[in-house]
Amino acid sequence: MAFDKLIIYQLLPRLFGNTNTTNRVWGTLAENGSGTFADINEAALESIKTLGATHIWYTGVPEHATMTDYSAQGITPDDPAVVKGRAGSPYAIKDYYDVVPDFAQSVPDRMAEFEALVARTHAHGLKVIIDIVPNHVARQYGSDAQPANVPDLGEGDDVRQAFSSQNNFYYLPGTTFVAPFTPGSVDAATPLANSAPPIHEAPAKVTGSGSITEAPHLDDWYETIKLNYGYNVFEGTLYTGPTATADHPDTWQKMLDIMLYWAAKGVDGFRCDMAHLVPVAFWQWVTAKVRATYPTHIFIAEIYDPGLYRPFIFEGGFDYLYDKVGLYDSLRRLIEGHGSCYDLTRVWQQESGDFAEHMLRFLETHDEQRIASSFFATDPMKALPAMVVTATMHTGPYLIYFGQEIGVRAEDAEGFSGHDGRTTIFDYWGITDWQGYVNEHRYDGTGLTPEQRKLRAFYEKLGTLVNQSDAIRTGAFYDLQWANQATPGYNQHRVYSYLRYTDGQKLLIVCNFDQTAPLNVVLCIPDHALSLMHISGETTLHLSDLLGSNDTSTGRGVTGFQLSLPAGSVRIFTLETS
């Protein structure tokens, strides 16, 4: 398992390099354009490295269902009735052995262009993560690029059986799939017609979300079908057959083959979509199998059930899990002006025992609303204290979603994705406030405002500090809330302070989440913390801020340090003896 301090930069190639400014609602590829693998050039990779990134998560690489017709290039078209958005959902994979043709400058050379991107990324000292979507595939899944002698998902299924451990899908015998809408049944602005043949699914399959109906709802994952790992969704029972590899459910081996295929192309890790919907026994088996050939390969689980954290780490073999319902939710409440810093202490108490280093922290992903959107903070500078906590609370990794570092606002209604504070993953679109940074693929930020430049400078400084700080990368953590609960002016609901330390470096981090009131306090470090850092209570310590504020203070830990922090600010102080 990996235990280094990773900084992961997530980007969607369709949006990252797109310089088209047409932005027609429900626009086609020809109208609105798409970024490509080639757009992620040398300048882009160097730009990403300035944020301290160690890994890039290229979102939506495996070929997914789309309304764009590539039949002239030998790619089977999809029925628009089971595609979300013109571009389609990156999480409705239609061919696990191919890449998205939108991302290629030359469609026939699309895989070679992806392989060149992997090589280019590695040449810049960065590692590559892509999505694996193990729970479901597109409704019309069918590979036309798989290696010879590799059976396709669903090939050989006994469709007469609702459930069999050797079927890849679940079936509803005697039924026919009914799409939640058909061409002409919705507003005329919604495109639901191209040259694709209409879908005919008989018997109907269980939907990716687990809905056992031939007629899933419009708000369901109707565009996907659920994969069968030996869990009987009709009876709620797990497969308990022989443990020999040859006797595992058929889907296990096919998904292993898919993972090994991508690892062989130089992919260094997988972000596993909705991993908690797949049995932990499969993960235990497949992570060991992949690492038998690729021992440093990392696995990241999208997971939202804290009750599954330990099984997925210590049994399932995952390196990292989403810290959504813990740290993200707590920090979001604070950024929005409610919640309490007691929640951060609670996160530390719940996670620091044996798996804190396994938690992937973030403030934005493709699923979450943009910090700068009107649905969240509006002003991205309000999130700076939260971003410091995200990056420095423990030794585990943190993630930046492209555009977060310059305050992308996501105020557009692009088509399938409406005005919801998220950057679309379903539509062809050019992100205008991001394009100011792209600058015709120079990635130099020429078109940024002074405020955007200031924000990006903060993210650069933070990433550099994390990479250079032993205390943050490997050090211990000490929560100071209890020691300052009686400190005058220290509002424990809006102020959070903690130590990160090793023998060689001691840091005091203080976050003022109050957006209206400055912090003026004498902050104390208790004897217990000082002894853990091998510092006498009588030792005079000098504090200086590493984030560039020029703030300093001098004092003794037990008697405290005079601190004055503006509203909504954060400091990372070094503690040095005289």
Side-chain angles (χ1 to χ4, degrees):
M1 287 188 173
F3 292 104
D4 200 7
K5 180 77 173 179
L6 279 56
I7 302 177
I8 300 172
Y9 189 84
Q10 180 193 3
L11 67 86
L12 181 63
R14 174 180 297 114
L15 302 175
F16 182 82
N18 188 15
T19 58
N20 187 307
T21 58
T22 303
N23 284 350
R24 179 182 175 187
V25 176
W26 280 101
T28 64
L29 172 63
E31 291 168 332
N32 287 354
S34 173
T36 66
F37 294 134
D39 292 335
I40 307 165
N41 58 23
E42 310 288 343
L45 294 169
E46 279 304 302
S47 170
I48 291 168
K49 283 199 71 173
T50 64
L51 297 168
T54 59
H55 293 63
I56 302 180
W57 166 15
Y58 293 117
T59 301
V61 166
E63 184 185 357
H64 58 73
T66 179
M67 289 189 191
T68 301
D69 187 358
Y70 283 103
S71 56
Q73 287 81 21
I75 299 172
T76 304
D78 304 290
D79 182 353
V82 285
V83 179
K84 289 182 175 178
R86 283 277 198 188
S89 169
Y91 298 99
I93 305 300
K94 68 176 286 187
D95 188 343
Y96 255 124
Y97 290 95
D98 208 344
V99 297
V100 175
D102 291 345
F103 300 167
Q105 292 186 324
S106 168
V107 173
D109 300 318
R110 58 193 180 277
M111 185 59 77
E113 291 186 28
F114 172 70
E115 292 167 346
L117 173 61
V118 172
R120 192 160 61 247
T121 304
H122 287 163
H124 283 263
L126 295 158
K127 295 191 175 183
V128 173
I129 297 170
I130 67 166
D131 294 283
I132 287 291
V133 189
N135 178 68
H136 51 271
V137 293
R139 203 101 216 173
Q140 293 180 293
Y141 184 91
S143 178
D144 49 29
Q146 65 196 43
N149 303 318
V150 173
D152 210 0
L153 287 167
E155 185 177 333
D157 276 11
D158 183 352
V159 302
R160 299 168 299 178
Q161 297 191 63
F163 169 76
S164 165
S165 65
Q166 297 310 306
N167 279 353
N168 298 137
F169 303 120
Y170 302 96
Y171 296 90
L172 302 173
T175 67
T176 299
F177 172 71
V178 180
F181 51 71
T182 57
S185 67
V186 294
D187 188 274
T190 305
L192 286 173
N194 66 9
S195 60
I199 185 170
H200 180 71
E201 182 181 302
K205 302 179 184 74
V206 170
T207 295
S209 60
S211 297
I212 303 173
T213 174
E214 71 274 18
H217 191 270
L218 184 62
D219 295 329
D220 202 351
W221 303 352
Y222 63 83
E223 82 282 18
T224 67
I225 46 178
K226 187 171 178 64
L227 284 166
N228 170 11
Y229 289 86
Y231 176 80
N232 189 333
V233 297
F234 304 101
E235 297 179 0
T237 56
L238 286 171
Y239 172 70
T240 57
T243 57
T245 299
D247 294 320
H248 281 311
D250 185 70
T251 304
W252 289 30
Q253 184 62 47
K254 287 179 178 174
M255 288 304 298
L256 170 62
D257 291 342
I258 288 165
M259 293 182 190
L260 291 174
Y261 171 83
W262 289 105
K265 290 190 177 296
V267 170
D268 302 291
F270 299 131
R271 178 267 188 189
C272 302
D273 183 77
M274 300 302 288
H276 65 283
L277 297 181
V278 175
V280 70
F282 165 74
W283 292 117
Q284 183 177 38
W285 177 82
V286 80
T287 55
K289 286 288 186 181
V290 171
R291 291 191 181 112
T293 305
Y294 303 96
T296 61
H297 205 84
I298 67 171
F299 286 82
I300 301 170
E302 180 190 18
I303 187 169
Y304 302 110
D305 183 352
L308 295 176
Y309 287 179
R310 284 184 173 84
F312 270 69
I313 295 168
F314 300 114
E315 297 173 33
F318 276 96
D319 297 289
Y320 307 113
L321 314 179
Y322 268 37
D323 198 354
K324 165 68 169 65
V325 300
L327 193 63
Y328 171 87
D329 286 349
S330 298
L331 288 172
R332 174 158 183 164
R333 288 192 293 269
L334 286 166
I335 294 169
E336 293 176 326
H338 50 94
S340 170
C341 288
Y342 281 114
D343 295 336
L344 305 184
T345 296
R346 189 175 302 111
V347 169
W348 159 68
Q349 291 170 334
Q350 292 173 344
E351 296 181 359
S352 61
D354 55 0
F355 61 86
E357 69 269 24
H358 295 280
M359 303 308 293
L360 171 62
R361 273 69 187 263
F362 54 85
L363 289 181
E364 287 190 0
T365 71
H366 64 281
D367 285 319
E368 308 302 337
Q369 290 171 324
R370 291 285 194 173
I371 297 166
S373 77
S374 57
F375 293 83
F376 193 166
T378 305
D379 179 2
M381 303 302 283
K382 292 181 179 179
L384 299 194
M387 193 62 218
V388 168
V389 174
T390 298
T392 69
M393 190 175 190
H394 284 120
T395 59
Y398 72 93
L399 179 147
I400 300 170
Y401 187 37
F402 87 98
Q404 176 181 343
E405 70 272 27
I406 58 102
V408 164
R409 300 193 64 232
E411 294 297 319
D412 300 319
E414 303 96 337
F416 183 86
S417 183
H419 180 208
D420 60 2
R422 296 176 178 86
T423 298
T424 182
I425 62 172
F426 307 105
D427 306 283
Y428 297 110
W429 204 254
I431 307 175
T432 53
D433 41 4
W434 172 245
Q435 288 166 338
Y437 186 79
V438 175
N439 187 27
E440 299 301 326
H441 305 125
R442 296 182 185 89
Y443 301 96
D444 57 9
T446 296
L448 296 183
T449 66
E451 292 77 14
Q452 289 174 316
R453 292 176 187 275
K454 181 180 178 182
L455 182 63
R456 195 178 200 283
F458 166 83
Y459 277 90
E460 290 180 3
K461 186 180 290 290
L462 179 62
T464 299
L465 174 60
V466 167
N467 280 332
Q468 294 177 349
S469 170
D470 288 339
I472 293 173
R473 297 183 67 81
T474 65
F477 173 92
Y478 195 99
D479 186 300
L480 292 172
Q481 297 298 90
W482 70 271
N484 290 279
Q485 57 188 345
T487 300
Y490 190 96
N491 182 346
Q492 285 197 303
H493 293 290
R494 291 290 175 267
V495 178
Y496 190 61
S497 61
Y498 54 100
L499 300 166
R500 296 296 313 278
Y501 60 92
T502 61
D503 288 342
Q505 185 183 44
K506 281 79 176 170
L507 300 178
L508 167 64
I509 302 173
V510 186
C511 304
N512 182 10
F513 286 96
D514 194 324
Q515 298 295 332
T516 59
L519 170 67
N520 296 291
V521 298
V522 176
L523 186 142
C524 297
I525 300 176
D527 277 329
H528 180 246
L530 292 170
S531 65
L532 290 173
M533 295 189 293
H534 309 295
I535 297 173
S536 166
E538 299 303 313
T539 301
T540 299
L541 297 171
H542 301 284
L543 275 59
S544 57
D545 180 35
L546 296 177
L547 288 178
S549 70
N550 296 320
D551 284 5
T552 60
S553 185
T554 299
R556 296 188 181 95
V558 291
T559 55
F561 304 90
Q562 180 67 49
L563 300 180
S564 298
L565 275 68
S569 66
V570 59
R571 300 288 184 265
I572 300 179
F573 292 110
T574 59
L575 280 70
E576 297 179 348
T577 58
S578 58

